Amino acid sequence: MKKLVLVLLLVLSLSTSFAQMFAHVDSQKVLDTMPSRMMAMKEISDFETRAMKEMQDEQAKFNKEYTEFETSSSTMSPTARRFEEERLSKKYQELQTRGQELDQQMNILANDLNAPILDRVKTAIENVAKAEKLDYVLDQSGLLYAKGKDITDKVIAEVLKLEAAAAN
């Protein structure tokens, strides 16, 4: 009988405390409300636009030179044709290398701009979790069903405070 009462008390206490330990947050909604995130996305987009224009311009130059080579190659000596082929081949490799460099630079820029933003989101979630006495906060995007406590609005308010503090 004692064991049954003890098990019943344990189950009741676990079920009561279990419901209070978990909450969920829509991190994408939080990110979408952050002014710094919007500025970072614009800067990344601007960089990408400039990089694409540069690559398109260089590709057009290469295509023009290649077309000119194709039309004049029949009148070139074998040695001159080989030199021109090597030059165009080298230019094409440089074009590919530059494309890879621009991709790497864009990834570095995105990481550099997003790191402090993600740190602020993490700090905001931790602050709200401590204030609400939560043990676990789950991201809503990974949940199939979420009916529990949603702390998204509180996290948004906290992250906007952190954004204002970071701006000063």
Side-chain angles (χ1 to χ4, degrees):
M1 183 70 174
K2 277 185 172 183
K3 288 183 184 180
L4 181 63
V5 171
L6 187 60
V7 168
L8 240 143
L9 286 174
L10 182 64
V11 168
L12 285 174
S13 66
L14 283 177
S15 66
T16 304
S17 64
F18 184 76
Q20 295 173 355
M21 295 186 333
F22 289 90
H24 60 92
V25 64
D26 185 348
S27 60
Q28 189 59 51
K29 184 177 178 183
V30 173
L31 288 169
D32 290 344
T33 62
M34 296 176 70
S36 63
R37 171 72 172 182
M38 291 176 218
M39 288 187 298
M41 295 301 288
K42 181 176 179 351
E43 189 172 337
I44 293 167
S45 177
D46 290 348
F47 180 86
E48 183 178 23
T49 301
R50 288 190 309 271
M52 286 178 59
K53 173 140 179 44
E54 177 185 333
M55 290 304 296
Q56 288 170 348
D57 292 347
E58 292 300 317
Q59 184 69 43
K61 287 178 190 175
F62 175 80
N63 289 344
K64 182 181 176 194
E65 289 180 27
Y66 185 76
T67 303
E68 290 171 358
F69 166 72
E70 283 185 323
T71 58
S72 64
S73 67
S74 61
T75 61
M76 292 180 171
S77 69
T79 305
R81 186 178 315 130
R82 186 174 42 115
F83 288 152
E84 190 62 17
E85 286 172 351
E86 289 173 3
R87 186 187 71 77
L88 287 172
S89 177
K90 184 178 177 186
K91 187 164 186 163
Y92 184 73
Q93 288 173 347
E94 290 170 356
L95 185 64
Q96 288 182 322
T97 301
R98 181 62 181 148
Q100 291 171 350
E101 288 171 357
L102 289 171
D103 283 345
Q104 289 172 347
Q105 289 173 356
M106 190 166 73
N107 287 336
I108 291 168
L109 177 66
N111 289 339
D112 288 350
L113 293 174
N114 286 324
I117 293 167
L118 296 175
D119 287 343
R120 280 195 286 277
V121 170
K122 182 180 178 207
T123 301
I125 291 171
E126 289 172 355
N127 291 349
V128 171
K130 287 176 186 172
E132 297 288 320
K133 296 179 175 44
L134 299 169
D135 293 324
Y136 301 97
V137 177
L138 305 171
D139 188 12
Q140 189 170 336
S141 67
L143 300 176
L144 297 174
Y145 177 75
K147 187 179 178 186
K149 187 173 190 168
D150 184 358
I151 61 170
T152 301
D153 293 334
K154 291 177 182 178
V155 172
I156 289 172
E158 182 67 23
V159 83
L160 291 176
K161 286 180 197 173
L162 293 172
E163 288 258 298
N168 294 332

